[in-house]
Amino acid sequence: MQATSQDIVDTLLAQHQQIKTLFAQVQSATGEPKEELFHELVALLAVHESVEESLVHPLAEDKLPDGGDVVPARLAEEQEAKEALAALYDLGVAHPEFDPRLAALRDAVTAHAEAEEAFEFIRLREVVDPDRLVTMASAMTAVAAMSPTRPHPGVPANPAANLLLGPPLAVFDRVRDAVRDATRGAR
């Protein structure tokens, strides 16, 4: 008997739960732990959205009868979230406006995730071969490795832009993250 592999929908649903958990942890933390958790949340959201833009949204647009209506709404929500997340990143966790803005972002991201789950993810299972969804879960690893770890609102939300601009931005972000982590450890 062969074990069932996790498909891309399972993986994205698990990431949605992880994102909700990280929002709660950031909201309740203080000081350096809050900053570390926030950076973890930023990276997860940036990579997660890149994967969706590269793999899931194009599939939904192609395979779902109303994909041409569903996907643009999700992309618009993702763009707003990227802009809000980038602004929060620049603001910093110690700023007095951080927590209220984080709460607003959390609410928007939660509503966005629920819409993706209802209008894309679950419906894709009805129209896409299960083996293809499993294969796409494997492709997520490659896309994630080439994805930036910080939102870049100026990058168009499409597979071509992610393929062309994602890798150099990913290298830049990962070097920046390593420098940040190294300087934090030196303090």
Side-chain angles (χ1 to χ4, degrees):
M1 184 171 174
Q2 185 176 355
T4 306
S5 296
Q6 191 173 40
D7 68 21
I8 194 165
V9 173
D10 293 327
T11 305
L12 292 171
L13 290 171
Q15 285 183 352
H16 281 180
Q17 288 306 312
Q18 186 180 4
I19 289 165
K20 289 175 188 175
T21 299
L22 275 169
F23 267 114
Q25 290 173 334
V26 172
Q27 202 82 48
S28 65
T30 59
E32 192 171 318
K34 182 177 193 126
E35 185 175 350
E36 290 171 5
L37 287 164
F38 179 64
H39 288 295
E40 185 178 339
L41 175 64
V42 168
L44 178 58
L45 283 169
V47 171
H48 178 84
E49 295 307 334
S50 183
V51 165
E52 288 177 345
E53 291 168 5
S54 298
L55 297 173
V56 178
H57 296 323
L59 182 66
E61 209 162 26
D62 182 49
K63 298 293 184 186
L64 297 177
D66 59 349
D69 296 324
V70 169
V71 172
R74 300 298 76 77
L75 291 172
E77 293 163 358
E78 288 170 6
Q79 182 63 29
E80 289 174 15
K82 284 180 191 177
E83 291 169 6
L85 193 59
L88 271 173
Y89 190 93
D90 292 341
L91 199 62
V93 299
H95 194 280
E97 284 296 308
F98 181 86
D99 285 335
R101 288 187 186 188
L102 181 71
L105 177 62
R106 178 202 61 222
D107 294 346
V109 167
T110 299
H112 167 76
E114 289 169 358
E116 283 180 331
E117 292 168 11
F119 299 120
E120 284 184 81
F121 296 176
I122 303 306
R123 292 176 60 214
L124 283 172
R125 282 204 172 128
E126 299 169 1
V127 296
V128 177
D129 181 87
D131 290 337
R132 182 170 182 196
L133 294 176
V134 170
T135 302
M136 289 179 73
S138 299
M140 277 184 69
T141 304
V143 172
M146 296 186 306
S147 296
T149 60
R150 184 170 175 206
H152 294 276
V155 175
N158 64 59
N162 283 329
L163 184 61
L164 180 65
L165 300 173
L169 289 171
V171 169
F172 176 78
D173 287 352
R174 283 166 171 66
V175 168
R176 187 205 67 237
D177 295 344
V179 169
R180 179 196 67 220
D181 294 346
T183 56
R184 181 182 297 136
R187 287 188 230 161

